[in-house]
Amino acid sequence: MKHAGSQDALLARLNAEATGLSSRRRLAAVVRRQSNLSWLGTFACAILLVAVVADAPVRDLARSLDPSVVAVLRVVTQFGNSAWPLGISLLLLGAVTVVARQSNPFPPDALQNLRSALILVIGSVAISGTIASLTKNMIGRARPSTGDPQVFEFAFMSFRASWAAFPSGHATTAIAFAVALAIAFPKQAIAWLSIGLIAALSRAFIGVHWLSDCLAGMALGALVSLALRQGMERHGHAFQTELTLSAKVLVKGGIICLSQAWLVVTSVVRQANVSVRRQLLSRKS
């Protein structure tokens, strides 16, 4: 009897596990069948819920933070400033172009991957930033630092910085940049994503954006980076590279540029000396 009871218990447990597995599979199938419009609606509902529940409390918390904490967050938030990611990426892209035209110790595939990674970074930051800028100015949501605004206070098509909260441009750039870097440098992916997450959320905690602004910007930045990656992969691009390779290429490119500039300068000086000597000889004669 005891043995029969053990068998019944085992069968019941197996049936329960099978039922649970079947339920998870059905749920996964439902999730996979959702259209883009369904996901967009779900995300809009989530953002609305965050705005209703969390925007005002997070703003109040930001106003109560210690000034030293805010000062640190203002430094961290610069990760979302598009000027320096674009500037450094363009500089590196120029170095790759210069190095690739010269005799160098780097494998051609490695340089090509680095070039593709830099194009991914530049494209992700530029495209997502442009979309965020146009959207936020058209929507015209009041920033939490604009007087004492309500959570849902808008001035559509205002094109004023104080009414350009949704979505956060810095949060968009921070996550677009972080996702692109995680794709390009997978060994440091967790670090990049962590930095991007903190930089994006810092906009709410320094009081210049609502939390829902940051979440919307984060979604936009991630979506653009992943979509651009998918599009580039269809055209044969590969992105995985190494930080050490980037540093070596930058140094090598800098040396090549400096040497070329030195040759140009010495050539100009030599020609100027020749011209001066000719003028002196002509005066003597």
Side-chain angles (χ1 to χ4, degrees), residues 4 15 31 37 42-43 102 113 129 135 142 166 178-179 211 215 217 228 234 240 243 247 250 260 272 279:
N15 287 333
V31 171
L37 182 61
T42 303
F43 177 72
Q102 304 287 332
N113 285 4
T135 303
F166 185 89
V179 171
L211 179 62
L215 297 179
L228 184 58
R234 289 200 194 102
Q240 292 191 6
L243 280 174
L250 184 61
Q260 293 294 328
Q279 290 179 2

Side-chain angles (χ1 to χ4, degrees), residues 35-101:
S35 66
N36 291 335
L37 182 61
S38 175
W39 285 117
L40 181 61
T42 303
F43 177 72
C45 291
I47 290 295
L48 179 61
L49 180 62
V50 169
V52 171
V53 173
D55 273 1
V58 170
R59 176 199 54 190
D60 295 339
L61 174 62
R63 290 176 175 177
S64 66
L65 287 178
D66 187 273
S68 62
V69 175
V70 175
V72 171
L73 291 176
R74 287 190 181 280
V75 173
V76 173
T77 199
Q78 291 307 310
F79 187 81
N81 186 336
S82 60
W84 72 266
L86 290 176
I88 292 176
S89 298
L90 288 169
L91 181 64
L92 258 173
L93 188 60
V96 171
T97 303
V98 169
V99 169
R101 294 177 178 176

Side-chain angles (χ1 to χ4, degrees), residues 3 18 29 42 52 54 63 68 81 85 87 91 101 108 128 131 177 190 194 202 211-212 217 227 229 231 277 283:
H3 181 66
T42 303
V52 171
R63 290 176 175 177
S68 62
N81 186 336
L91 181 64
R101 294 177 178 176
S128 64
I131 295 172
F177 188 32
I190 294 177
S194 299
S202 69
L211 179 62
S212 55
R229 173 197 182 180
R277 289 173 183 174
R283 289 177 183 176

Side-chain angles (χ1 to χ4, degrees), residues 229-243:
R229 173 197 182 180
Q230 189 175 27
M232 292 179 68
E233 282 180 339
R234 289 200 194 102
H235 291 84
H237 289 270
F239 309 101
Q240 292 191 6
T241 184
E242 297 285 345
L243 280 174

Side-chain angles (χ1 to χ4, degrees), residues 78-172:
Q78 291 307 310
F79 187 81
N81 186 336
S82 60
W84 72 266
L86 290 176
I88 292 176
S89 298
L90 288 169
L91 181 64
L92 258 173
L93 188 60
V96 171
T97 303
V98 169
V99 169
R101 294 177 178 176
Q102 304 287 332
S103 175
N104 64 80
F106 308 114
D109 289 346
L111 290 178
Q112 183 58 46
N113 285 4
L114 180 56
R115 182 185 287 110
S116 296
L118 293 169
I119 293 172
L120 176 65
V121 170
I122 294 168
S124 298
V125 172
I127 294 171
S128 64
T130 300
I131 295 172
S133 180
L134 292 174
T135 303
K136 68 196 300 184
N137 281 289
M138 288 189 292
I139 292 176
R141 187 185 189 186
R143 293 179 184 267
S145 55
T146 304
D148 191 21
Q150 301 299 312
V151 171
F152 297 106
E153 189 170 345
F154 298 90
F156 299 105
M157 306 291 287
S158 68
F159 290 91
R160 287 179 291 169
S162 57
W163 293 83
F166 185 89
S168 166
H170 275 69
T172 301

